[in-house]
Amino acid sequence: MDDWVFFLLSITLCIALKILLSNLANTIHKKPSLPPGPRFIPILSSLPWFRLTLFDLEPVLRTLRAKYGPIFTLHITSSPTIFIADRTLAHQALVQAGAAFADRPPATESGRILSSNRHNISSAPYGPLWRLLRRNLNAEIIHPSRLKLFAPVRRWVLRILVSKLKAEAQADGGAVVVTESFQYAFFHLLFLMCFGEKLDEKTTDDIRDIQRHLLSSLAKFNVFAFFPKLTKIVFRERWNLLLELRKKQEEHFFPLIRARKERKQQQQHGEGSFAFSYVDSLLDLRLPEEGGRRLSEGEIVSLCSEFLGAGMDTTTTALQWIMANLVKHQDVQTKLFEEIEGVVGSDAEEIREEDLQRMPYLKAVILEGLRRHPPGHFVVPHAVTEDVTLNGYLIPKGAAINVTVAEMGWDGNVWEEPMEFKPERFLAGGSGEGVDITGSKEIKMMPFGVGRRICPGLGLAMLHLEYFAANLVKEFEWKAVEGEVDLSEKLDLTVVMKNPPRARILPRRIE
């Protein structure tokens, strides 16, 4: 009897040990799964997201974060889209594992048309083409030494903007609606940087209208990300609109590109004066990975369109939010004006770029505006170049990665009273003292993205925001027209003020 008991115990222990070892082996060799998310049913799972923009998704994403945690998966298209809603995980992905997360998802049908098959900086795959285009922009146009050459252009545009605001105020009892004036000013500035030419008002306005029409229609073209062979038939009019807008864009840009090519050739022969522009740098580029060929005219159009669109809308939106908060918070505006007077005096005609370096409160105002009201609430989607594990989950090769930019800057664990506008937080002793907006060491806010795909125009945007905000406050006292300043949001090309901001401006100097 004792032998039978011993035998049964031995068998039981062996079976238990085998099961334990088997489970352990499965645990060791089992691949991690995708981050959690709503159940995926092919085709049907995509339909609820069909008509939503990322802005519409924000309340949904907050709910999903509360349910699934700081990283979760949605099946918006046939490939998974993974959302990261935590600053530590975002840093691990975009900075620490930056090379693996630096690609872009495949272009949609409309994206291929507008980017000349991904021959621009924002959509190019991570690799030699992207490096070449980005290096050219950084070295030839937005390097600090190059930016100094455009100082006369900034002064010229500032004078136009001030005159435009004064004329509007005189026509409406001192009240102005700033959005149109800001867009007008930044387009002229970027246009000159891009093409090196001052064109007549009608031609410039026509090009600006085409750019605005094209960019404002982008949301309509998202439909072609879903079953493109079918949607191009069902939404034929929309597809034809895309092709028509692209054709108009090329018809207006081609003559400008050819004119720059001719002027550059003349300058090489010692004929006439020549001011360097973005187009000029593109004319010299060769693509080593494509047989050393030059960029086509269509590809140069795509790069110029990217330069104009990215620079105008984001900067216009950021300046709009900053000025609205200065109207709402008169104490902040007063403190900023006192700093300006202390640096340049009351008789200065202009605040120059070199003056900006001596204005820490100005920089704090700009940073607080970008933290509280980032123009984009999400980064341009990333994609991974290989299978990666993040927070214990599988991020499969080719998956689209999106990061909740606005939520990073509103994190109550980092920022005290995060929804309040308090520039002092960026001064000595504040929670934002010495904050690095590039996110290289840690992410506290990321209005320009972080990592290898960080916006290359960060320095240019900061210069423009500081320069124009400071000069506008030096030139005018900004007051509310009536009642409270409405800071409600809506999605346009960027996240803008729901109601166009109006202000009453009072010249600070009597001419």
Side-chain angles (χ1 to χ4, degrees):
M1 190 65 145
D2 291 341
D3 290 337
W4 276 105
V5 172
F6 178 78
F7 176 75
L8 289 174
L9 286 174
S10 299
I11 291 295
T12 302
L13 287 171
C14 287
I15 293 173
L17 183 61
K18 183 178 180 180
I19 292 172
L20 179 63
L21 291 174
S22 177
N23 287 339
L24 181 61
N26 287 338
T27 300
I28 292 172
H29 296 293
K30 182 181 178 182
K31 283 189 174 182
S33 59
L34 281 172
R39 184 182 176 191
F40 172 56
I41 303 173
I43 299 179
L44 293 179
S45 291
S46 299
L47 296 180
W49 320 111
F50 187 75
R51 297 177 61 85
L52 294 181
T53 66
L54 283 175
F55 187 75
D56 300 321
L57 270 175
E58 278 197 87
V60 179
L61 296 178
R62 292 189 190 105
T63 302
L64 293 175
R65 188 198 191 289
K67 182 176 181 179
Y68 296 110
I71 179 170
F72 50 89
T73 305
L74 288 182
H75 289 272
I76 297 175
T77 62
S78 56
S79 298
T81 299
I82 295 167
F83 285 85
I84 299 175
D86 175 84
R87 65 189 187 91
T88 302
L89 291 180
H91 190 267
Q92 290 174 12
L94 302 185
V95 179
Q96 295 175 11
F101 281 81
D103 208 0
R104 293 292 192 217
T108 62
E109 291 293 301
S110 58
R112 288 189 179 278
I113 297 291
L114 298 177
S115 67
S116 297
N117 196 23
R118 305 180 76 183
H119 279 71
N120 66 2
I121 298 170
S122 57
S123 67
Y126 183 60
L129 174 63
W130 171 77
R131 291 188 186 92
L132 176 69
L133 297 176
R134 185 182 175 101
R135 184 169 60 246
N136 175 72
L137 177 66
N138 282 330
E140 300 294 342
I141 299 299
I142 59 178
H143 188 275
S145 62
R146 286 288 192 183
L147 287 179
K148 289 179 181 179
L149 300 178
F150 292 104
V153 178
R154 284 187 285 277
R155 280 196 298 273
W156 173 69
V157 169
L158 176 63
R159 288 196 297 269
I160 290 176
L161 176 57
V162 169
S163 297
K164 195 173 178 63
L165 290 172
K166 285 181 177 179
E168 186 179 347
Q170 289 173 359
D172 193 15
V176 294
V177 181
V178 298
T179 304
E180 177 65 25
S181 296
F182 288 176
Q183 288 174 348
Y184 180 91
F186 284 118
F187 184 81
H188 277 72
L189 173 54
L190 293 163
F191 186 88
L192 263 167
M193 294 179 69
C194 187
F195 292 103
E197 302 285 351
K198 290 182 183 179
L199 300 181
D200 62 88
E201 195 77 6
K202 183 181 184 309
T203 303
T204 308
D205 286 346
D206 286 346
I207 294 173
R208 185 162 63 102
D209 290 344
I210 291 168
Q211 284 290 110
R212 290 293 301 172
H213 193 178
L214 185 60
L215 293 173
S216 64
S217 301
L218 289 179
K220 295 180 183 178
F221 303 144
N222 286 340
V223 68
F224 302 118
F226 299 85
F227 320 112
K229 290 183 179 179
L230 176 62
T231 51
K232 283 165 69 174
I233 296 173
V234 175
F235 299 96
R236 191 66 192 174
E237 288 187 7
R238 201 173 295 190
W239 181 253
N240 288 337
L241 173 64
L242 168 67
L243 298 179
E244 179 188 349
L245 288 173
R246 175 63 180 190
K247 183 180 178 183
K248 285 184 177 180
Q249 188 184 48
E250 291 179 341
E251 288 173 349
H252 280 78
F253 281 32
F254 281 171
L256 298 173
I257 295 168
R258 292 165 188 167
R260 292 306 296 180
K261 187 183 297 185
E262 185 176 336
R263 286 199 63 183
K264 193 168 185 180
Q265 290 171 348
Q266 291 173 349
Q267 192 267 343
Q268 289 171 348
H269 292 91
E271 302 173 17
S273 61
F274 188 76
F276 195 76
S277 70
Y278 185 41
V279 169
D280 302 320
S281 73
L282 298 175
L283 293 172
D284 289 334
L285 280 188
R286 292 184 178 274
L287 309 182
E289 300 296 313
E290 299 182 38
R293 70 172 180 87
R294 295 183 187 274
L295 290 166
S296 69
E297 288 185 334
E299 289 163 349
I300 294 177
V301 169
S302 296
L303 285 159
C304 291
S305 178
E306 175 184 56
F307 182 83
L308 294 173
M312 182 180 74
D313 286 294
T314 53
T315 313
T316 295
T317 300
L319 185 59
Q320 178 188 105
W321 283 112
I322 289 165
M323 298 310 296
N325 274 286
L326 291 178
V327 172
K328 183 179 179 67
H329 302 280
Q330 289 290 310
D331 57 325
V332 175
Q333 185 181 162
T334 299
K335 188 171 180 178
L336 177 56
F337 181 66
E338 288 173 352
E339 179 180 71
I340 290 169
E341 277 204 313
V343 171
V344 301
S346 56
D347 297 325
E349 291 293 323
E350 174 208 11
I351 299 171
R352 301 164 300 172
E353 280 90 343
E354 50 266 36
D355 299 324
L356 301 174
Q357 307 306 316
R358 295 182 287 152
M359 298 182 182
Y361 193 67
L362 168 66
K363 185 174 289 291
V365 168
I366 303 303
L367 288 174
E368 180 68 344
L370 291 170
R371 182 201 67 80
R372 179 61 186 84
H373 303 283
H377 282 201
F378 299 87
V379 297
V380 177
H382 290 238
V384 288
T385 55
E386 60 189 22
D387 286 359
V388 179
T389 301
L390 181 65
N391 202 39
Y393 297 112
L394 171 67
I395 313 297
K397 179 180 178 180
I401 311 296
N402 222 309
V403 180
T404 55
V405 170
E407 298 288 336
M408 304 292 171
W410 301 341
D411 187 345
N413 294 320
V414 175
W415 307 99
E416 184 180 346
E417 297 182 283
M419 305 312 285
E420 297 298 319
F421 188 84
K422 294 183 174 182
E424 286 75 14
R425 69 175 88 239
F426 288 97
L427 300 178
S431 56
E433 180 186 2
V435 69
D436 176 14
I437 58 174
T438 68
S440 58
K441 294 182 179 179
E442 67 170 330
I443 295 173
K444 289 187 175 181
M445 57 186 284
M446 48 180 292
F448 299 97
V450 296
R452 302 190 183 208
R453 286 283 189 164
I454 191 172
C455 174
L458 186 159
L460 177 65
M462 290 298 291
L463 170 61
H464 286 171
L465 290 173
E466 290 178 20
Y467 177 79
F468 283 96
N471 276 289
L472 288 173
V473 170
K474 181 193 75 66
E475 196 70 35
F476 303 109
E477 184 179 4
W478 295 75
K479 297 282 189 180
V481 174
E482 55 185 25
E484 284 291 312
V485 179
D486 183 3
L487 297 180
S488 302
E489 300 173 337
K490 73 170 185 178
L491 181 67
D492 188 13
L493 301 176
T494 51
V495 179
V496 301
M497 297 181 70
K498 186 174 183 179
N499 298 306
R502 299 182 75 225
R504 190 175 306 281
I505 58 173
L506 305 172
R508 294 193 188 268
R509 293 182 299 167
I510 299 176
E511 298 177 355

